C-alpha cells in the first residue's frame, strides 16, 4: 500500500517557529503532498505572528452543536478541580517561560485567566508567594497569592 497524502494536526502552539516547521515537514516526505492543520485557542493567536510569511489560510470555525457543547461541559464538570488547578499552574509556568508571553506579565495573567475559564474553573487558583516572586507575578492584578504558612489567599 502506498501512502499518497499525509495530514498533520497540531493542537496548540509549539515552543517556537522552527519546531512548528519541523513538525509540519513530516507531512510532505519523499515528494508526497501533505497538509497541516493548526488549532489554536484564543490565547495562542499571537503565535500566528511568527508564521506570517508561511502560506497559511485561516478557516472559520463552525458553530458548535448545542448537544455537543453540553456534552463537553458535562465532561469538564466531571474532572476534579484539583486536576484543573494543576493544569492552570502548569499552563502558567510553561507560558511564563515562553518569550512571547513572558515579557508582559499583565498579558500573561490575562491569558491565564482565559485558560482557567475555558477549563471550567470559577476563579484562578492561588499560587504560593515564593512562586509568584520567582515568576515576576507578585504584584500583577489577577494573580491570587497563597501565604504558605497561614493558607490565606490574597489578590
Amino acid at each position: 500500500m502506498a501512502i499518497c497524502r499525509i495530514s498533520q494536526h497540531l493542537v496548540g502552539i509549539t515552543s517556537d517557529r522552527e519546531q512548528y516547521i519541523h513538525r509540519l515537514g513530516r507531512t510532505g516526505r519523499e515528494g508526497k503532498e501533505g497538509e497541516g492543520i493548526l488549532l489554536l485557542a484564543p490565547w495562542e493567536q499571537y503565535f500566528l505572528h511568527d508564521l506570517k510569511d508561511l502560506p497559511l489560510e485561516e478557516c472559520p470555525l463552525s458553530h458548535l452543536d448545542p448537544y455537543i457543547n453540553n456534552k463537553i461541559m458535562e465532561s469538564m464538570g466531571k474532572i476534579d478541580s484539583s486536576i484543573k488547578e494543576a493544569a492552570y499552574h502548569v499552563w502558567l509556568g510553561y507560558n511564563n517561560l515562553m518569550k512571547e508571553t513572558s515579557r508582559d506579565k499583565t498579558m500573561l495573567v490575562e491569558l491565564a485567566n482565559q485558560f482557567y475559564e475555558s477549563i471550567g474553573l470559577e476563579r484562578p487558583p492561588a499560587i504560593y508567594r515564593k512562586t509568584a516572586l520567582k515568576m515576576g507575578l507578585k504584584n500583577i492584578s489577577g494573580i491570587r497569592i497563597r501565604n504558605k504558612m497561614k493558607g490565606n489567599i490574597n489578590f
Side-chain angles (χ1 to χ4, degrees), residues 22-147:
H22 171 75
R23 289 187 186 177
L24 187 62
R26 295 177 179 270
T27 65
R29 297 291 168 107
E30 297 182 23
K32 306 290 187 233
E33 285 192 23
E35 69 178 24
I37 297 174
L38 176 61
L39 301 174
L40 298 177
W43 54 86
E44 297 173 316
Q45 295 294 315
Y46 71 86
F47 187 65
L48 292 174
H49 178 74
D50 291 347
L51 307 176
K52 65 184 174 192
D53 62 321
L54 297 177
L56 299 176
E57 178 183 338
E58 189 171 339
C59 300
L61 292 176
S62 348
H63 291 285
L64 192 58
D65 180 304
Y67 174 78
I68 293 173
N69 191 49
N70 286 339
K71 286 294 186 186
I72 291 170
M73 297 311 289
E74 202 175 283
S75 296
M76 288 299 291
K78 293 178 182 176
I79 298 173
D80 188 85
S81 62
S82 65
I83 302 291
K84 293 177 185 179
E85 289 175 8
Y88 171 85
H89 289 126
V90 169
W91 188 98
L92 190 60
Y94 174 77
N95 283 282
N96 193 52
L97 296 175
M98 300 291 288
K99 67 178 181 175
E100 289 295 329
T101 51
S102 65
R103 284 188 284 226
D104 182 344
K105 300 301 183 181
T106 301
M107 180 185 80
L108 174 66
V109 172
E110 288 172 6
L111 296 174
N113 288 346
Q114 289 179 28
F115 177 74
Y116 88 75
E117 290 173 353
S118 77
I119 60 174
L121 289 171
E122 293 182 20
R123 59 187 179 161
I127 62 174
Y128 288 111
R129 176 185 285 291
K130 187 175 181 180
T131 302
L133 285 169
K134 286 182 179 180
M135 294 175 74
L137 300 173
K138 181 179 178 257
N139 294 316
I140 303 298
S141 177
I143 283 291
R144 296 178 61 232
I145 305 294
R146 177 182 299 268
N147 183 332

